[in-house]
Amino acid sequence: MARTRWVSDTRPPVPVPASLADAVSTGKPFAGADALAAGLVTRYALRVRYHAIFPGVYVAKGEPLTNWDIIRAVGMWTPSDAIIGGWAAAYLHGETSYSGERVRGGIDVFTAAEPRPPRGIRKRSLRRPVPDEDICQIGGLRVTTPARTAVDTARWIRGEDLRICVIDSLCFTTGTSLDAVAAAAGRMHGLHGASTIARLLDACDAGAQSPQETLLRLRIERSPLPRPTSQLEIFEPTGERITIADLAYASAKVAIFYDGRHHRDPDQWRRDLRITARLTDLGWQVVRIVKDMTSDEAMRHITNAYTRAQNRPRA
């Protein structure tokens, strides 16, 4: 695979396949044979102005390419039975915490065909066909569904916590339930790692909005504290919703928030202050965890808040 200039591409665009003529004129990936047959390029131009990033698939020399461009180019190279999976599928489904970077390490393709994949493509040989329930289409490409993608990406990486974070991230991003992931894992019975992922699902939370939130929840669950409720809605006495706590102990009135980067925005920061003030007025212990806190520091704040709530005189 020729050297490719990547550009910042943190969120996938809506995939709109360009026409062959558009792809050639803008330097995006195109099938060389099709462009020659259509008279859009000459063999001399193909050799001088373009280079092959995969066999038979060309782009303009020096053209920076996004993740979507590379995935589309892979789709042009792959056999007709191919299914895009792994991090590339996660990226196409909109997962943003991991896939944007990891897809650059190589694109996974399920196929029963025999061609040797070029550099940049990992062929995942099929012991049995991917079930129809686990295949969808995005931008003209056959792609594993979010549930199947969650199982695959998790089983192909190491580390229990990372696997849980990846499953949580894909489920939250795509609105996929853990039941759907369990069903996909069940259809993969006998495949390497599928049963391991199925056993992890009890520790997952499809409502977790970030890997940091997932890691915080796991740390709490492994402590002497009881398991918190995730994504708890908290209301005014009038019934108007005040906020949704990332994690909470409803009966003890402890609300825990993981404040990520977007909470540094001045408007969001002011909203957070108002929410904290209102919850405090209503008798809640409010804990706000930020990135720079150590794990021990975060747990100390949460434990102290829970202890204060438990020792509070009851009305």
Side-chain angles (χ1 to χ4, degrees), residues 26-166:
T26 59
K28 296 300 184 181
F30 63 89
D34 292 346
L36 286 170
L40 295 171
V41 294
T42 64
R43 293 189 182 278
Y44 175 79
L46 200 61
R47 184 172 66 253
V48 173
R49 294 176 51 197
Y50 304 93
H51 70 91
I53 55 173
F54 301 114
V57 182
Y58 291 80
V59 295
K61 290 181 177 179
E63 177 70 19
L65 300 175
T66 65
N67 289 340
W68 167 247
D69 292 329
I70 297 297
I71 296 169
R72 189 151 54 96
V74 170
M76 295 176 187
W77 172 83
T78 54
S80 59
D81 74 327
I83 303 160
I84 303 292
W87 296 112
Y91 176 82
L92 293 178
H93 286 302
E95 195 283 327
T96 56
S97 294
Y98 298 98
S99 61
E101 288 299 322
R102 288 179 176 260
V103 72
R104 301 184 182 199
I107 294 174
D108 297 290
V109 176
F110 292 101
T111 177
E114 294 301 325
R116 181 178 178 180
R119 199 175 88 183
I121 300 176
R122 284 187 295 264
K123 177 184 172 184
R124 301 288 184 176
S125 298
L126 293 170
R127 290 173 50 188
R128 57 179 182 266
V130 176
D132 290 342
E133 303 98 306
D134 295 332
I135 304 171
C136 63
Q137 290 236 359
I138 299 177
L141 298 174
R142 281 158 41 95
V143 179
T144 54
T145 61
R148 170 66 187 245
T149 302
V151 180
D152 283 333
T153 51
R155 71 190 179 103
W156 292 337
I157 56 176
R158 294 183 178 180
E160 181 175 300
D161 286 1
L162 179 56
R163 286 170 167 171
I164 293 170
C165 285
V166 166

Side-chain angles (χ1 to χ4, degrees), residues 23 25 63 89 103 134 156 169 182 184 187-188 197 199 211 217 225 242 248 267 273 279 304-305 315:
S25 64
E63 177 70 19
V103 72
D134 295 332
W156 292 337
S169 183
R187 290 189 289 271
M188 297 166 67
I197 301 309
R199 288 193 296 269
R217 174 179 55 80
L225 292 171
I242 302 172
D267 289 339
L273 286 179
L279 292 179
N304 288 342

